Amino acid sequence: MAAHTILFDFTLDKDKTGGEKQRQEVAKVLRGELEHVFPQLELAYWMESPENGYFAVLHENKDTVVTVRIFQHGLLTLNVEYFLAEGKEPLLSFEVRTHRTLRLEKALALKLTAVRGQKLPALKRGDVSRYFPSSDERIIEYDIDKIVYEARSPFQKIQIMHSKTLGNMLLLDELQNIAESDLIYTETLMCRGVENYEGKEICILGGGDGALLYELLKENPKHVVMLEIDELVMQACNKHLSVICGDVLEKRKTDQYEIIVGDCVDYLKKFIAEGRKFDYVFGDLTDIPITDTPVGETWDFIRTIFEHSFKVLKPDGKYLTHGNGSTCTVGLRLFEEQLDLLRPKVKFATTKAFVPSFMEEWLFYQVTFA
C-alpha cells in the first residue's frame, strides 16, 4: 500500500493564461474534463494572484485530491493523489487495457489546445523507498519490493533493499553503493585482466561490503589488509550480500588477509611510522563531492587520504579508486586538480563502466607516481 501521485503538465499559449479571466476559463475547461474521470469532484479551495496565477484544490469524496496550478506564463500543472490499499486496482494507470491516464492527458491537451503535454507514471510513496538520485541529481525509480535490512550505526544509515532486477542492494545514507548485479563495478575498480595482483601486498581503505576483498583474493595476492570503520556494514553484508562478498567477512584474519575495524587514517599513520609499504592501495571510500569548489569536510578528507596513501605506496605502486558519474564533469575536474597538486607528482589514467545499480556510467582512477 502506498500513496500514488500522478503528475501532468501542459504548455499553453500565453494569451490563454495571461490574465485572471483567461485562467478562469482554462480552469472551467479543466474541471469539465476531470469530472469525466472523477464524477463526484468538488472544489475545496481556490485562489488567484497576479504574480502566481491560479491555484485550486479539488477532491472526490475527500479521498482523491487534485491540485491545479495555472501560471500566467502558459504552464499548467495537475497533480492527482490518492491512497492505494493493498490488492486494489490503481485509480489511474498507464496499462494498455485501461488507458485512463492516457485518455485524460489526450482529452485535456485537445480541449485546452495545448502546445505540448506530458504525464508521468504514478510516484509511489509510503511503503518502501523506490527513488534515489543519480550522481547528477536526476531521480531514478527502482523496482524495490522489500526492505531486507535497516539499521543505524554510529557512522551512517545502513539499508539493504531487494530489487527485482538487481538483487539485494546496499545503500548508505540513502545512496546506492553496490548490488548483487554489480560485479562490473568491482572488476573495473581493480582493473581485472590488466593489473597483476599475484604475490602483491594490498591495502583497501573502506570496502566494508567485502566485494573488493573477495575478488582480489581470487588473484592470489601475497596479503591484503582492509581498513573498515563500520562493523555493522560488514555484518549486514556478510548476511545479506554473500553473492558479492562470499565468506570473506566471516573472519577478521587469515593467512591471506586481515580486516581491521577502525579509522583508516589512524592506521595509515601507523603504517607510515612502521615504514610499511604496499604494491596497491585502494580508495574504496566516499565518492567525489558534487560541488563547485574543492572546499568542505569531504574534500578535506580526500586530501588527507591522498597525503597518507601515497606515503605507504611503493615507488612502482598504484593507487586505485572510484570517482563519480561521468556526467559530473565539474566534480571530476576538481578531483583531478587535487591530484595535480600532490608532491611527489603523480599521473593518472581513467576507466569507465556502466554500473547496473547506479543506472549510469561511472569513472574510475588509476594513479601512479610520475
Side-chain angles (χ1 to χ4, degrees), residues 52-92:
N52 299 306
Y54 175 89
F55 171 74
V57 179
L58 304 97
H59 70 88
E60 185 175 59
N61 301 322
K62 297 181 180 179
D63 179 16
T64 300
V65 176
V66 180
T67 58
V68 179
R69 289 200 72 175
I70 306 171
F71 297 88
Q72 59 181 343
H73 314 289
L75 176 64
L76 183 156
T77 61
L78 170 68
N79 304 334
V80 180
E81 185 165 285
Y82 63 96
F83 184 81
L84 183 66
E86 196 74 41
K88 295 290 185 179
E89 286 293 320
L91 189 61
L92 292 172

Side-chain angles (χ1 to χ4, degrees), residues 62-251:
K62 297 181 180 179
D63 179 16
T64 300
V65 176
V66 180
T67 58
V68 179
R69 289 200 72 175
I70 306 171
F71 297 88
Q72 59 181 343
H73 314 289
L75 176 64
L76 183 156
T77 61
L78 170 68
N79 304 334
V80 180
E81 185 165 285
Y82 63 96
F83 184 81
L84 183 66
E86 196 74 41
K88 295 290 185 179
E89 286 293 320
L91 189 61
L92 292 172
S93 171
F94 278 70
E95 292 185 25
V96 175
R97 68 174 184 270
T98 59
H99 277 304
R100 292 186 74 186
T101 306
L102 304 178
R103 285 203 304 268
L104 177 59
E105 187 270 336
K106 185 177 180 179
L108 287 171
L110 289 172
K111 286 285 186 178
L112 298 170
T113 58
V115 177
R116 68 182 61 88
Q118 73 167 342
K119 63 281 176 190
L120 298 176
L123 301 176
K124 306 174 187 71
R125 297 176 291 168
D127 49 358
V128 296
S129 299
R130 295 181 176 86
Y131 306 98
F132 300 99
S134 66
S135 62
D136 55 355
E137 298 185 337
R138 291 172 289 113
I139 297 173
I140 303 172
E141 181 175 4
Y142 288 79
D143 56 352
I144 302 294
D145 57 5
K146 66 178 176 180
I147 300 171
V148 176
Y149 175 89
E150 189 167 26
R152 283 191 181 273
S153 76
F155 308 101
Q156 56 203 333
K157 181 179 180 180
I158 306 163
Q159 295 170 298
I160 296 177
M161 297 189 174
H162 182 263
S163 156
K164 296 174 185 176
T165 52
L166 303 169
N168 284 353
M169 179 168 68
L170 173 68
L171 298 105
L172 299 178
D173 288 334
E174 300 186 346
L175 290 175
Q176 310 91 308
N177 266 249
I178 196 167
E180 291 177 335
S181 60
D182 291 347
L183 179 60
I184 187 66
Y185 175 94
T186 306
E187 291 192 323
T188 309
L189 173 60
M190 63 187 282
C191 297
R192 173 165 274 162
V194 176
E195 299 295 333
N196 179 16
Y197 295 103
E198 187 171 357
K200 301 296 173 61
E201 293 188 88
I202 302 169
C203 179
I204 301 173
L205 311 178
D209 52 68
L212 179 58
L213 175 60
Y214 181 57
E215 295 302 327
L216 282 170
L217 291 175
K218 296 176 182 179
E219 306 291 317
N220 197 28
K222 180 179 179 181
H223 191 262
V224 183
V225 60
M226 185 175 107
L227 308 176
E228 168 59 44
I229 199 169
D230 201 330
E231 173 70 41
L232 202 56
V233 168
M234 291 190 286
Q235 291 177 8
C237 293
N238 182 48
K239 184 174 182 180
H240 302 291
L241 280 169
S242 60
V243 168
I244 64 168
C245 67
D247 61 356
V248 298
L249 299 176
E250 291 281 346
K251 299 175 182 178

Side-chain angles (χ1 to χ4, degrees), residues 274-343:
E274 295 170 349
R276 189 172 179 182
K277 298 285 185 176
F278 297 92
D279 297 289
Y280 291 93
V281 175
F282 283 90
D284 197 9
L285 298 160
T286 184
D287 296 330
I288 296 171
I290 309 303
T291 59
D292 294 327
T293 56
V295 176
E297 185 178 338
T298 305
W299 281 110
D300 290 341
F301 179 69
I302 287 173
R303 283 186 282 266
T304 298
I305 292 299
F306 283 168
E307 177 189 352
H308 293 83
S309 294
F310 287 97
K311 288 180 179 177
V312 300
L313 202 60
K314 293 179 181 179
D316 59 348
K318 189 170 286 190
Y319 177 81
L320 304 175
T321 191
H322 55 84
N324 213 313
S326 59
T327 58
C328 300
T329 54
V330 174
L332 295 170
R333 175 177 55 79
L334 293 174
F335 181 79
E336 291 167 11
E337 288 175 359
Q338 299 306 301
L339 288 172
D340 289 339
L341 294 173
L342 290 172
R343 295 296 180 272

